[in-house]
Amino acid sequence: MANEEDDPVVQEIDVYLAKSLAEKLYLFQYPVRPASMTYDDSPHLSAKIKPKQQKVELEMAIDTLNPNYCRSKGEQIALNVDGACADETSTYSSKLMDKQTFCSSQTTSNTSRYAAALYRQGELHLTPLHGILQLRPSFSYLDKADAKHREREAANEAGDSSQDEAEEDVKQITVRFSRPESEQARQRRVQSYEFLQKKQAEEPWVHLHYHGLRDSRSEHERQYLLCQGSSGVENTELVKSPSEYLMMLMPPSQEEEKDKPVAPSNVLSMAQLRTLPLADQIKILMKNVKVMPFANLMSLLGPSVDSVAVLRGIQKVAMLVQGNWVVKSDILYPKDSSSPHSGVPAEVLCRGRDFVMWKFTQSRWVVRKEVAAVTKLCAEDVKDFLEHMAVVRINKGWEFILPYDGEFIKKHPDVVQRQHMLWTGIQAKLEKVYNLVKETMPKKPDGQSGPAGLVSGDQRVQVAKTKAQQNHAFLERELQRRKEQMRASTVLPPVQIKEEPLSEEGEDDEQEAEDEEEPMDTSPSGGLNSRLANGLPAGRAAGGDSFNGHPLAGCASTPVARELRAFVEATFQRQFVLTLSELKRLFNLHLASLPPGHTLFSGISDRMLQDTVLAAGCKQILVPFPPQTAASPDEQKVFALWESGDISDQHRQVLLEIFSKNYRVRRNMIQSRLTQECGEDLSKQEVDKVLKDCCVSYGGMWYLKGTVQS
């Protein structure tokens, strides 16, 4: 308070904002000029401008009669520039340097903080500046003097040459045509400094008429620096609240704005969410949560929201699975998107995820390998699908993440019926795309409680028995037909098939009996509906001494054995490590590509396939799987090509010996063992190659191909 009393307000000045010249007013900054230069004599000054570049060039008059002017130096400069002969193109027509050229350059690109002020009659009038140009002397006349000097020297040299000199011989010249310019080369040329300078030089000069300080036109234009409406009607920009005025005086810097924490684009507070339409609220919630009971959704939307409207909206973005709502696949994978793991388009991803959702409508458990086998998608994509709606259980598979919501099912039967019809259509589409075989699910007795789609163990056994009995007659006819084909197309003796009665012990015995009666299944969906891909189970084949009536010892000379040997050798040349399960899958694909009646259709047992693999130079690697592994017996049988004839055989053999004692290994251990066995000069590229041929990395550890379990 004491300081304010010592510094009282002497005068209050009204400030006005004039806008008549706001887009036309430029400030020229001149250098300190000599005493011989004047700005006020208009006949001795000219100006020109390039509007696009905001470039100005001024010619200022020099007072040659001023005592400070050196006349001899001015004459010498004029002589060097124009020469002895003066004409219309001469820079200095008076044979004396009587003018100076100034060129402009922009001092700043942001002129919003600058204004020209005019104080008159106790009022301060401000006009915003459109540009600030700094004028500097131009010495282009020196370049002109150098050019004239070079011309005179060239003329003198030409005059001294002999006029009698014989004409030069005619020389052959080569005409070359330039190639079409590529788009990349054109972009480089357009952005080059030479091109930009050329474009700037092409802009024509616009000549200006200069008006002196005391000229009547100057006096008239100077009036525009005053605000035309001093009553304040036009100065609403200055009528601001104190906070707005302070913000204009001290705007926040860009650094401060950057320091403010910004929420991620996919994060939305509940307060912001409830400002959106109901349909958008439901879509955002389901897209982020992915699986939600209807009661939880209602609690998030608030008590004032109509449940009927929510039911109508949820069916547009989600599907009903076990009484819970799961977001639709096309919401997560919109059109024109692709997988971040494999690059698969959105349409294929949606189809695969719909298959997973449909499987969960049939059961609470899903096996990842079954999904991957049907959808033909990579393991990462399938894992993403399952993580959206399930949790993994050791040695069991993936279980649906939420419990069965029977309360919603009972409360909204109309919605359940509508969703059932939608799932029926989706199931028909999936069966057509993936060649699925319909399986009749047992109906639950009336009054039975529990989730739809859950089947007890006894029911599964009964279904297996029923299926085996229904297929028994069909399998007999099929085998009889194949016997007749073999008799007609080959010279092999009749096929002998050992038939055993159906077991009554359970599902596994039924499946074994069924598999013993039919050869290898070559149908596309055989992997889903049969636990054995080959016609004979491993135990049965191992226990027998013959196959189809032929001793195994002499099978190498048969056409079937030769064809099978060729397939095995070609397969292991492409993939050095294979499990028996994967080899059988590849063999089924090979059979599907063969014409009807081929010799390999006579039936191949697991034992014959394994014997052929071992005879082809491969070895079985006894990988020590964990005690609680979920791998099937066929997946635990691992075969590898021991010798392929290339330089990597030794590296591969060392690697396979490591995995015969370890289920999973770290890279540094593999590197150390390979260096120890193969020498210090082993390069990183060689290690990478043998790992790529035989192994796969998962979670920082290395496994043999086909042995990684989810």
Side-chain angles (χ1 to χ4, degrees), residues 134-160:
Q134 191 175 71
L135 297 174
R136 301 187 182 191
S138 174
F139 301 98
S140 58
Y141 59 88
L142 296 179
D143 297 334
K144 189 175 181 181
D146 292 341
K148 287 286 183 73
H149 179 69
R150 285 193 295 268
E151 289 178 2
R152 285 195 295 268
E153 287 184 350
N156 292 336
E157 290 178 0
D160 294 341

Side-chain angles (χ1 to χ4, degrees), residues 386-455:
L386 293 169
E387 287 178 343
H388 289 169
M389 61 192 83
V391 290
V392 64
R393 306 294 186 194
I394 299 176
N395 295 334
K396 291 185 178 181
W398 292 77
E399 183 184 13
F400 193 68
I401 194 169
L402 294 178
Y404 179 77
D405 192 352
E407 183 179 353
F408 180 86
I409 299 294
K410 295 177 181 178
K411 191 174 181 180
H412 303 281
D414 53 337
V415 177
V416 175
Q417 180 63 26
R418 192 178 304 113
Q419 289 291 310
H420 176 72
M421 294 173 63
L422 291 175
W423 277 122
T424 303
I426 293 175
Q427 178 182 356
K429 182 179 178 181
L430 293 174
E431 289 173 351
K432 182 178 180 182
V433 173
Y434 293 133
N435 296 325
L436 303 179
V437 177
K438 293 184 179 180
E439 295 187 11
T440 40
M441 300 298 296
K443 296 183 179 180
K444 294 193 301 181
D446 295 338
Q448 180 181 348
S449 61
L454 292 182
V455 184

Side-chain angles (χ1 to χ4, degrees), residues 13-16 118-125 226-227 230:
I13 301 174
D14 293 332
V15 181
Y16 296 92
L118 182 62
Y119 181 73
R120 178 173 294 184
Q121 298 178 357
E123 298 176 348
L124 185 63
H125 298 262
L226 300 174
C227 183
S230 59

